[in-house]
Amino acid sequence: MAPSPVTATVIQSLVEELHARLSSQREGKVADYIPELAKADPEDFGIVLATADGRIYAVGHTDKPFTIQSISKPFMYGLALRLLSPAFMKAKVGVEPSGDAFNAISLDPHSGIPRNPMINAGAIATAAQVWHHDPKQAEAITLEFFSTLAGRRLEVDQAVYVSERDTGHRNRAISHLLRNAAVIEEEPEPGLDLYFRQCSIRVTCRDLAVMASTLACQGRNPLTQAEPLDPLITTRMLALMGSCGMYDFAGQWLYDVGMPAKSGVGGGVMAVVPGRLGIAVYSPRLDDFGNSVRGIAVCRELSQILELHLYDQSPLQHSPVRSSYLGTERRSRRWRSAAEAARLDPLRSGIAVLHAQGVLDFAALEAVLSRIDGVTAEASVIVVDLGQVNQLSPASSALLQRQAQRLEGAGLHLLLCRSDHLKLPEGLATPLRCHASLDLALEAAEDRLLESAAGGSPAEAASATPGAAAGSAAPPSAPLLLASLEPALRQAIAERLELRHYSAGTLVTERQQPSDELFIVATGRFSIHLPIQRPGSSGRLARVATFSEGMVFGDAAFFSGQRRMADVVSEGPGSCWLLHRNAFEQLKQQHPHAAIALLSLLAVDLGDKLALCGQQLTLLEDL
Ligand code: GLN
């Protein structure tokens, strides 16, 4: 059977069902105290969901214009906070819910100012301050701000504005009360006029949903990426919507629906699921509180069906630490000389690696911190891989920084890796602490172990970790690799080697170049880099290994006759013995025994490297 065509998406059809179900709800009455509002069609019904990442689900009358009315109030308050500062506004309008009707002609008897910016007294006081800030531009600034929130140009509905202005005597009374209480410092009419205009801004259900999603995204419009508000101001607006947004119904609303919201007598309701979703409903029939009847029903149902209630938060379900193990299980790709390996191997359990994942909010980070504390019984260097962490809040990175300092104080080290995509505070994002890859972090951890085993003094540490300073030391007279050979054989080989010195950062061999020599490290460290063969990694190089004294590189291509596969770079000043192809040919001719002896040594070296490569490969399975 042919598959039937895919129709509405899951969320779209869910919203459609809800719309169909609630269309029969005809309770309530269209507002008529402003004559123009009475013209609204009571049957109009639109629902729009706008997600925090910019997807829209729309059903019904979602593009029909209506006036924003009181839904403008939280935005205007946000604009005032932005233009005039929270401290200034605090002296003008309170933030306590009021038990009064939205249009009550009263002030808080204790403070002498309006109780909050969601009732008319507070909203008129707020508009008056915005007007006072820039009398000439106030309306333009307001419209521009609302337009940025909605992501399209909005205008004032002149007919509704005139209707409000000519009949808004109650609001005029409130404005005089505010003038009398010196909340408004001058002639109240211009501020009141701005209030009438802000209430008469024409929006659609879709606009309101986008505006709500802008609040859900801490003030950034997810469709246009514009940022009309900052996170702090947005949080304050949402808090006020939570406690005072639904007039005298605010308590019941928070109890049932659990979302900050705002309604308007034009029939709009806007609700926000912080960080997730903006919801808007348009349906002009209002209940006795002045809230859209269907608007409330839609939000109530969505809250239940989609579990959107703000206080319905499940505890952390996933572990923020994907896996963890000790340094005995994974080592860096810096291949240590036998002597160094002998010092390092018994210490390896002093390293712990934790792979963190997901969103590290407070709860997740607290769990990571406790895992770190748990491993300190054994490990003194803790590597935390942040590569799979999608988000680290500023508060969480501050806690991580405290952990780093705390460990430092106890002589332990916290190293991080793969954190480029996260914003870390300066104190945490030091080059010593943050490493581009797990491999480099492991190497740094190993070096730390060697340093502390050597007593922690820089001089001793340098001698314990050859690459650090030994690059400048004089190379021995013949490669360590040949030490086991009879003197005559050793001599035959050694006299055919060329000792070459490199300054730090020299490209010793280059990919695609012919390979006519192999290298035996005399002093210093040499790193082999290969391009990562993965779509999208655009030529990024990965370190395959770092070699130090006595190790051989360039051998694979030297023997196969292929071009070089990898770049090799000197990490610091260093030197290598080079065996040129013609010198090797000559050795084979003139000293076949010496050539065979050399080949056997190189075969052992190659075998060791293969074994380590195999081990690294199996570890990848586990990343
Ligand atoms: N402009 C209207 C008024 O002040 C806004 C009221 C509202 O939406 N609740 O009466």
Side-chain angles (χ1 to χ4, degrees), residues 210-235:
V210 175
M211 292 168 93
S213 71
T214 302
L215 296 183
C217 294
Q218 301 184 303
R220 185 182 45 77
N221 182 320
L223 296 177
T224 63
Q225 310 306 324
E227 284 179 59
L229 290 163
D230 68 37
L232 215 68
I233 289 180
T234 309
T235 305

Side-chain angles (χ1 to χ4, degrees), residues 324-603:
S324 67
Y325 43 83
L326 294 181
T328 39
E329 285 180 47
R330 187 187 292 271
R331 55 183 58 194
S332 80
R333 291 182 210 142
R334 163 128 173 252
W335 294 4
R336 308 278 170 174
S337 65
E340 215 176 359
R343 274 200 304 277
L344 183 57
D345 286 344
L347 306 174
R348 284 188 187 278
S349 62
I351 297 173
V353 181
L354 270 64
H355 293 278
Q357 66 180 0
V359 174
L360 296 190
D361 59 5
F362 166 73
L365 190 87
E366 187 275 334
V368 173
L369 293 180
S370 117
R371 290 288 291 270
I372 293 175
D373 288 339
V375 296
T376 54
E378 200 159 358
S380 60
V381 189
I382 297 104
V383 177
V384 178
D385 170 21
L386 298 174
Q388 300 291 326
V389 169
N390 322 85
Q391 232 176 305
L392 184 69
S393 66
S396 291
S397 27
L399 292 176
L400 197 58
Q401 186 172 352
R402 280 177 78 136
Q403 177 73 307
Q405 284 159 352
R406 191 177 146 258
L407 294 177
E408 224 72 59
L412 309 178
H413 306 283
L414 179 68
L415 304 182
L416 306 177
C417 66
R418 305 202 298 162
S419 57
D420 280 1
H421 59 301
L422 303 170
K423 227 163 103 200
L424 298 181
E426 251 171 55
L428 206 54
T430 64
L432 273 182
R433 187 183 314 283
C434 292
H435 299 272
S437 63
L438 176 59
D439 176 40
L440 291 174
L442 280 171
E443 175 179 2
E446 291 164 359
D447 285 346
R448 290 282 167 97
L449 287 184
L450 285 168
E451 272 167 36
S452 41
S457 82
E460 277 179 90
S463 65
T465 53
S472 46
S477 56
L480 212 56
L481 181 80
L482 310 179
S484 60
L485 298 183
E486 279 172 34
L489 297 179
R490 184 162 65 229
Q491 169 76 17
I493 300 168
E495 65 190 18
R496 287 176 171 78
L497 300 175
E498 177 207 345
L499 183 63
R500 199 178 279 181
H501 295 274
Y502 300 97
S503 54
T506 309
L507 189 58
V508 179
T509 73
E510 198 177 348
R511 264 175 303 138
Q512 303 301 342
Q513 294 303 306
S515 45
D516 283 327
E517 57 273 309
L518 69 75
F519 300 77
I520 306 167
V521 179
T523 58
R525 289 190 215 166
F526 294 83
S527 289
I528 326 262
H529 300 277
L530 270 181
I532 298 175
Q533 306 284 343
R534 201 172 41 205
S537 42
S538 64
R540 233 168 22 93
L541 297 177
R543 172 170 81 160
V544 179
T546 293
F547 291 146
S548 49
E549 189 189 348
M551 299 175 183
V552 179
F553 63 85
D555 42 348
F558 180 81
F559 289 120
S560 69
Q562 305 277 326
R563 288 177 180 267
R564 299 266 181 227
M565 294 181 307
D567 288 346
V568 177
V569 177
S570 56
E571 297 269 315
S575 55
C576 294
W577 279 286
L578 271 65
L579 176 63
H580 293 278
R581 190 173 300 285
N582 47 17
F584 182 59
E585 290 306 324
Q586 200 194 51
L587 184 71
K588 283 203 280 193
Q589 299 284 315
Q590 298 172 356
H591 287 279
H593 282 105
I596 290 169
L598 176 62
L599 282 172
S600 328
L601 288 173
L602 291 175

Side-chain angles (χ1 to χ4, degrees), residues 33-34 69-70 73 102 120 164 171 195 199 247 263-266:
Y33 73 102
I34 299 168
Q69 296 300 335
S70 282
K73 290 170 179 171
F102 73 90
N120 286 12
E164 287 219 44
N171 284 330
Y195 169 74
C199 287
Y247 309 122
S263 66
V265 290

Side-chain angles (χ1 to χ4, degrees), residues 41-194:
D41 183 345
E43 287 305 320
D44 280 353
F45 186 18
I47 307 176
V48 179
L49 269 52
T51 68
D53 41 12
R55 276 183 301 282
I56 303 267
Y57 302 96
V59 183
H61 300 98
T62 54
D63 293 317
K64 181 142 184 193
F66 58 97
T67 52
I68 188 166
Q69 296 300 335
S70 282
I71 306 172
S72 63
K73 290 170 179 171
F75 293 112
M76 201 60 168
Y77 185 68
L79 179 61
L81 290 181
R82 205 184 78 181
L83 297 176
L84 299 159
S85 88
F88 177 85
M89 285 310 292
K90 201 173 157 194
K92 296 290 172 190
V93 186
V95 292
E96 291 300 336
S98 82
D100 300 333
F102 73 90
N103 55 3
I105 307 179
S106 72
L107 300 176
D108 182 337
H110 301 294
S111 62
I113 60 175
R115 285 198 179 78
N116 67 65
M118 302 294 146
I119 53 170
N120 286 12
I124 294 169
T126 302
Q129 294 308 328
V130 170
W131 178 82
H132 184 72
H133 173 74
D134 188 347
K136 284 208 178 65
Q137 296 296 320
E139 187 187 348
I141 292 173
T142 302
L143 267 180
E144 176 63 31
F145 175 67
F146 277 71
S147 300
T148 314
L149 287 159
R152 75 171 186 107
R153 186 71 206 164
L154 300 180
E155 301 294 347
V156 168
D157 183 318
Q158 288 301 322
V160 174
Y161 157 67
V162 170
S163 187
E164 287 219 44
R165 188 194 59 196
D166 294 351
T167 60
H169 303 301
R170 197 180 169 91
N171 284 330
R172 199 157 281 116
I174 293 174
S175 73
H176 281 279
L177 179 66
L178 292 168
R179 174 70 188 95
N180 182 60
V183 177
I184 298 179
E185 293 94 344
E186 62 267 285
E187 215 312 89
E189 194 62 26
L192 180 66
D193 190 72
L194 183 62

